[in-house]
């Protein structure tokens, strides 16, 4: 049987059976928070548009305004966890994307200042396809959830006792490719435009 | 994939004479090298990041059987399945069985070097499945019916005109134009979106496997990995056994150096950790999640002098900085992995007798080892392979005779000096005659110089 053959070969060739050291327990003070300005700078460098809002209600108003100004008249799907802020308009559907939507709006779990990255956790109220199928993608991130580096996210997940969802996404820009003549093109398969909505306050 | 590495010399010659390829390679080389240099400049201490990544990998290789068992248990606990494949054929059979078990007809595929290694596409197509590569580069070479020529930019050898021509042949274009690169990307997006939405099975590779959580990390810039993993009802991951690391922290250490070394990004656009199939309350995601672990000769490398090669994270930095790869491109190497890492891995996985020229496809300039984020001593591994090739008698008779003659001469100092003096005399007095007597190609890349007098000769001349 392949399984035992492979494992036996590895053990014979020196694979140690000594247990690996456990990760030490995490305290809140071990997690380094990030700087919003630094995050916005890095996100902009990653071709992410940045909008600032001072509450989630303000964020939804700014997104609606952006859609009108940019002539984005197609269908919009918003994550269930944000529905309450967009419930006043019938234009915003909730659920996941079917690939025909023009705009999707989802919620970030955290951000990384170092790389300008948004982290999302998939679940029924924040389905992962919202991050990949629309032409324009809005990601809402409370600024108090910005951390310094990738390492802080692992600590945060451990501290908050979060079980990994089916998809833990690290998103650092709109979809891109440079597969033809090394020339950067945005919007390969996923969003052509990614707009981060940074929400200050609680 | 069939190994044609024994044709390296003739394929390299063809590549050097191919002007279109030379143009594409020149453009690619400077692009990759400059982007990596800029990304590393922005980091306070890249050496420190390299040390962390190498430590995580060393720990993983030391505990490889234990971590693979742990990974398997965690995948099963999250509702997924793990399959073990000793050989390429095993992997292909397992993948086909999974596809047949759900009566699949169409498959979308994210980029997977393991899939290339086992010839998975051809195998599934032969069984009647319709399979579409979704990474733009892979899609282009699938249309062209060619293997990838670079591990992270498979179509790096193609110009925009060649891509446009392929799309004209294979797509019903109607009014759509293909003059700009943006037109080509839009065309591929439109064609592949439909394939994503109708696929029964999605197959992706894996950049890392995390033992602690049973997760699979997939890194892309296009988002095709996520769409292949999420839209179809079955997600199959093809991964080699050395991809496993202990924890998310270890995965993070390796991701810090991966994108910077590969594409010069601080982080690739999409890095996703997939854990199991969709949960009961999820609105999207596959119903089945399968991981196929491939050995194909790797377990024999553990504990051998070639173990460091298992540390390779397939970033492609060694290819981009290699003077040989930059001139001959990837196809000359004759198998899936080109450049310095391929010149080590191909003989180890396919046998030296098939690929005896590859360890010699190096100038030993040392750039590959310098830029390797995982600290793999590629020139020294190539040197060891050269020794093995000589010991096992796989090299050409003329080459062996030359080496034998040289070592015989070196062991006889007087005769050696006489021979060197004789050669110097010939080079000084009959350079043109000598030039004409050697193959023309030899002089295209080399100059012939006469050697300086030896120290002994100089000393003797001062005593006269």
């Amino acid at each position: 049987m392949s399984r035992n053959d492979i494992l036996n070969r590895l053990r014979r060739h020196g694979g140690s059976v000594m247990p690996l050291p456990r990760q030490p327990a995490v305290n809140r003070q071990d997690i380094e928070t990030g700087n919003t300005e630094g995050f916005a700078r890095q996100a902009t460098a990653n071709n992410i548009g940045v909008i600032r809002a001072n509450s989630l209600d303000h964020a939804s108003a700014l997104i609606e305004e952006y859609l009108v100004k940019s002539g984005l008249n197609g269908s919009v799907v918003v994550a269930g966890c944000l529905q309450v802020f967009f419930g006043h308009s019938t234009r915003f559907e909730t659920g996941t994307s079917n690939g025909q939507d023009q705009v999707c709006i989802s919620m970030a779990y955290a951000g990384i200042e170092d790389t300008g990255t948004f982290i999302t956790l998939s679940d029924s109220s924040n389905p992962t396809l919202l991050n990949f199928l629309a032409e324009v993608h809005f990601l809402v991130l409370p600024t108090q959830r910005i951390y310094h580096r990738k390492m802080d996210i692992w600590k945060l997940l451990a501290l908050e006792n979060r079980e990994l969802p089916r998809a833990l996404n690290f998103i650092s820009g709109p979809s891109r490719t440079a597969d033809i003549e090394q020339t950067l093109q945005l919007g390969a398969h996923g969003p052509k435009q990614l707009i981060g909505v940074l929400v200050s306050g609680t | 994939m069939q190994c044609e590495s024994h044709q390296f010399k003739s394929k390299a010659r063809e590549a050097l004479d191919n002007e279109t390829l030379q143009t594409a390679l020149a453009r690619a080389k400077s692009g990759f090298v400059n982007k990596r240099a800029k990304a590393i400049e922005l980091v306070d201490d890249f050496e420190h990041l390299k040390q962390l990544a190498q430590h995580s990998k060393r720990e993983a290789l030391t505990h490889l059987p234990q971590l693979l068992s742990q990974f398997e248990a965690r995948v099963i606990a999250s509702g997924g399945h793990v399959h073990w494949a000793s050989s390429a054929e095993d992997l292909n059979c397992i993948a086909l069985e999974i596809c047949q078990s759900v009566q699949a007809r169409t498959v979308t595929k994210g980029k997977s070097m393991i899939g290339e290694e086992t010839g998975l596409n051809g195998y599934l197509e032969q069984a009647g499945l319709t399979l579409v590569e979704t990474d733009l580069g892979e899609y282009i070479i699938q249309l062209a019916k060619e293997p990838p020529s670079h591990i992270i930019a498979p179509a790096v050898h193609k110009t925009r005109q060649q891509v446009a021509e392929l799309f004209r042949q294979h797509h019903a274009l109607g009014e759509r134009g293909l003059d700009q690169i943006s037109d080509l990307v839009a065309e591929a997006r439109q064609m592949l979106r439909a394939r994503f939405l109708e696929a029964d099975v999605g197959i992706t590779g894996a950049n890392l496997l995390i033992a602690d959580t049973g997760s699979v990390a997939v890194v892309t810039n296009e988002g095709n990995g996520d769409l292949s993993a999420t839209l179809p009802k079955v997600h199959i991951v093809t991964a080699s056994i050395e991809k496993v690391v202990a924890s998310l922290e270890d995965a993070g250490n390796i991701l810090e150096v991966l994108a910077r070394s590969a594409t010069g990004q601080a982080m690739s656009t999409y890095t996703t950790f997939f854990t199991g199939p969709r949960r009961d309350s999820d609105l999207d995601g596959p119903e089945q999640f399968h991981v196929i672990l491939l050995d194909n000769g790797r377990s024999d490398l553990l504990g051998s002098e070639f173990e460091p090669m298992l540390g390779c994270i397939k970033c492609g930095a060694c290819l981009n900085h290699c003077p040989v790869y930059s001139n001959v491109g990837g196809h000359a190497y004759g198998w899936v992995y080109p450049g310095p890492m391929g010149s080590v891995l191909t003989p180890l996985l396919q046998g030296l007798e098939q690929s005896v020229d590859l360890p010699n496809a190096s100038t030993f300039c040392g750039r590959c080892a310098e830029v390797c984020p995982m600290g793999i001593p590629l020139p020294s591994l190539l040197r060891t392979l050269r020794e093995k090739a000589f010991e096992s008698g796989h090299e050409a008779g003329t080459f062996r005779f030359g080496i034998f003659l040289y070592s015989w001469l070196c062991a006889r100092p007087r005769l050696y000096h006489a021979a060197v003096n004789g050669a110097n005399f010939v080079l000084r007095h009959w350079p043109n005659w000598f030039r004409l007597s050697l193959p023309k190609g030899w002089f295209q890349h080399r100059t012939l110089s006469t050697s300086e007098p030896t120290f002994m000769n100089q000393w003797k001349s001062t005593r006269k």
Side-chain angles (χ1 to χ4, degrees):
Chain A
M1 187 188 164
S2 286
R3 179 189 186 276
N4 293 340
D5 289 348
I6 294 169
L7 289 175
N8 286 338
R9 261 199 305 275
L10 291 172
R11 288 190 192 109
R12 215 168 40 241
H13 293 156
S16 168
V17 290
M18 293 294 286
L20 275 160
R22 296 294 308 162
Q23 298 289 338
V26 178
N27 297 311
R28 175 65 68 179
Q29 60 267 27
D30 296 334
I31 305 174
E32 199 178 339
T33 52
N35 175 284
T36 306
E37 295 313 313
F39 177 86
R41 217 173 16 252
Q42 190 56 46
T44 308
N46 295 348
N47 306 95
I48 301 173
V50 175
I51 293 178
R52 314 289 185 105
N54 49 35
S55 68
L56 284 166
D57 282 316
H58 186 209
S60 70
L62 289 176
I63 290 172
E64 283 196 69
E65 196 182 308
Y66 186 97
L67 297 181
V68 173
K69 267 192 196 163
S70 312
L72 294 164
N73 304 315
S75 63
V76 184
V77 184
V78 62
C81 60
L82 290 167
Q83 186 189 15
V84 64
F85 304 102
F86 292 88
H88 54 275
S89 168
T90 51
R91 193 182 164 194
F92 298 92
E93 289 174 32
T94 50
T96 191
S97 177
N98 60 8
Q100 313 301 323
D101 315 299
Q102 190 177 29
V103 179
C104 284
I105 306 168
S106 61
M107 182 76 186
Y109 167 71
I112 305 173
E113 178 198 343
D114 185 36
T115 52
T117 301
F118 293 82
I119 292 112
T120 66
L121 306 181
S122 70
D123 67 22
S124 57
S125 67
N126 205 35
T128 187
L129 282 178
L130 294 182
N131 302 326
F132 294 100
L133 281 173
E135 285 191 12
V136 181
H137 178 209
F138 289 91
L139 258 168
V140 180
L141 171 68
T143 53
Q144 62 183 13
R145 301 289 293 180
I146 296 175
Y147 297 90
H148 187 210
R149 296 184 54 207
K150 211 180 284 115
M151 286 299 143
D152 298 302
I153 304 303
W154 311 134
K155 292 176 189 165
L156 186 71
L157 286 164
L159 186 79
E160 296 185 347
N161 225 356
R162 295 296 292 249
E163 196 190 321
L164 284 192
R166 186 193 78 85
L168 163 65
N169 299 116
F170 286 66
I171 300 171
S172 307
S175 161
R176 69 187 64 205
T177 182
D179 272 352
I180 302 175
E181 295 189 355
Q182 291 269 297
T183 307
L184 180 68
Q185 296 291 313
L186 300 181
H189 292 298
K192 296 175 178 173
Q193 232 185 318
L194 172 61
I195 298 149
V197 187
L198 307 185
V199 185
S200 55
T202 48
Chain B
M1 182 185 159
Q2 188 74 28
C3 180
E4 294 175 351
S5 300
H6 57 283
Q7 298 173 16
F8 177 77
K9 282 183 182 167
S10 59
K11 286 189 168 190
R13 212 168 290 131
E14 280 168 30
L16 287 168
D17 291 337
N18 183 335
E19 276 177 33
T20 318
L21 175 68
Q22 290 301 318
T23 313
L25 286 173
R27 185 184 299 120
K29 179 181 160 40
S30 55
F32 280 124
V33 170
N34 295 342
K35 282 182 209 167
R36 175 190 168 276
K38 273 184 198 154
I40 284 166
E41 236 176 61
L42 293 172
V43 181
D44 291 340
D45 190 353
F46 191 65
E47 279 308 308
H48 178 63
L49 295 183
K50 277 167 65 176
Q51 294 304 324
L52 290 175
Q54 289 170 25
H55 174 76
S56 290
K57 193 72 191 180
R58 255 196 318 274
E59 283 287 295
L61 292 177
T62 309
H63 297 83
L64 198 51
Q66 185 191 336
L67 292 179
L68 286 168
S69 302
Q70 190 187 353
F71 172 76
E72 179 189 39
R74 295 285 189 274
V75 172
I76 293 168
S78 65
H81 307 269
V82 175
H83 311 262
W84 301 74
S86 283
S87 64
E89 293 74 29
D90 287 354
L91 183 140
N92 292 345
C93 285
I94 295 166
L96 179 61
E97 275 171 25
I98 298 168
C99 292
Q100 286 173 337
S101 72
V102 292
Q103 287 89 45
R105 285 178 300 135
T106 55
V107 178
T108 50
K109 191 157 161 285
K111 198 163 126 12
S112 161
M113 293 311 292
I114 295 303
E116 294 289 349
E117 187 178 319
T118 67
L120 181 59
N121 290 12
Y123 190 84
L124 295 182
E125 281 170 343
Q126 218 164 23
L129 288 155
T130 305
L131 183 143
V132 186
E133 288 284 357
T134 58
D135 172 85
L136 178 56
E138 287 280 347
Y139 178 63
I140 292 166
I141 61 165
Q142 186 187 22
L143 295 182
K145 295 188 171 55
E146 289 175 13
S149 71
H150 190 291
I151 55 176
I152 64 159
V156 72
H157 58 289
K158 292 275 182 220
T159 59
R160 72 180 78 181
Q161 292 79 11
Q162 289 175 313
V163 177
E165 188 48 40
L166 280 168
F167 285 3
R168 275 190 208 101
Q169 283 169 20
H170 293 271
H171 294 183
L173 277 169
E175 296 296 306
R176 303 193 294 273
L178 296 175
D179 297 336
Q180 307 292 322
I181 291 180
S182 54
D183 299 334
L184 295 168
V185 174
E187 175 63 23
R189 178 188 171 99
Q190 187 179 330
M191 287 298 287
L192 291 171
R193 175 58 67 93
R195 302 287 92 78
F196 278 125
L197 292 169
E198 70 188 13
D200 300 312
V201 172
I203 301 179
T204 68
N207 292 84
L208 294 157
L209 309 171
I210 294 91
D212 196 25
T213 58
S215 310
V216 171
V218 177
V219 177
T220 70
N221 273 311
E222 299 181 8
N224 61 312
D226 289 87
L227 292 177
S228 294
T230 305
L231 285 164
K233 58 189 171 199
V234 177
H235 177 199
I236 302 175
V237 179
T238 53
S240 48
I241 51 173
E242 85 286 2
K243 288 279 166 67
V244 74
V245 292
S247 64
L248 289 168
E249 287 79 1
D250 292 303
N253 286 341
I254 291 173
L255 290 171
E256 291 285 358
V257 298
L258 176 63
R260 290 184 169 102
S261 303
T263 50
Q265 293 165 280
M267 203 168 171
S268 300
T269 304
Y270 301 113
T271 301
T272 301
F273 294 81
F274 296 108
T275 311
R278 73 196 290 169
R279 311 288 156 84
D280 288 343
S281 60
D282 277 349
L283 301 182
D284 49 28
E287 290 156 19
Q288 292 183 28
F289 177 70
H290 296 266
V291 183
I292 313 178
L293 297 171
L294 176 72
D295 181 349
N296 210 21
R298 288 166 174 85
S299 55
D300 289 332
L301 303 183
L302 191 72
S304 78
E305 68 250 72
F306 297 107
E307 184 180 303
M309 202 54 220
L310 293 176
C312 179
I313 54 171
K314 315 287 184 296
C315 69
C318 63
L319 280 65
N320 302 333
H321 291 78
C322 176
V324 177
Y325 176 87
S326 304
N327 279 288
V328 303
H331 288 163
Y333 291 80
W335 199 50
V336 183
Y337 304 105
M341 56 78 67
S343 295
V344 176
L345 208 52
T346 306
L348 294 177
L349 299 183
Q350 292 288 301
L352 249 179
E353 65 278 14
Q354 291 249 41
S355 51
V356 72
D357 287 327
L358 294 190
N360 292 317
S362 166
T363 62
F364 279 173
C365 69
R367 283 293 277 154
C368 51
E370 216 172 282
V371 299
C372 175
M374 302 310 284
I376 302 171
L378 288 157
S380 119
L381 297 179
L382 287 169
R383 193 172 286 117
T384 310
L385 282 169
R386 285 186 187 184
E387 284 164 14
K388 285 194 181 299
F390 190 79
E391 280 164 16
S392 56
H394 290 313
E395 277 152 334
T398 46
F399 181 83
R400 295 179 65 78
F401 178 71
I403 294 283
F404 166 77
L405 196 65
Y406 184 70
S407 67
W408 182 83
L409 206 57
C410 286
R412 289 159 181 81
R414 281 174 194 283
L415 202 58
Y416 178 83
H417 283 299
V420 169
N421 289 337
N424 270 338
F425 182 80
V426 170
L427 291 171
R428 266 198 306 274
H429 295 281
W430 294 304
N432 286 330
W433 170 83
F434 198 69
R435 198 177 290 267
L436 288 172
S437 71
L438 281 171
K440 211 170 125 195
W442 201 88
F443 288 99
Q444 281 176 0
H445 305 284
R446 300 172 182 87
T447 52
L448 200 61
S449 61
T450 55
S451 68
E452 295 296 318
T454 63
F455 174 78
M456 285 294 282
N457 288 343
Q458 288 180 50
W459 184 73
K460 276 180 193 164
S461 66
T462 59
R463 302 267 295 169
K464 278 176 191 168

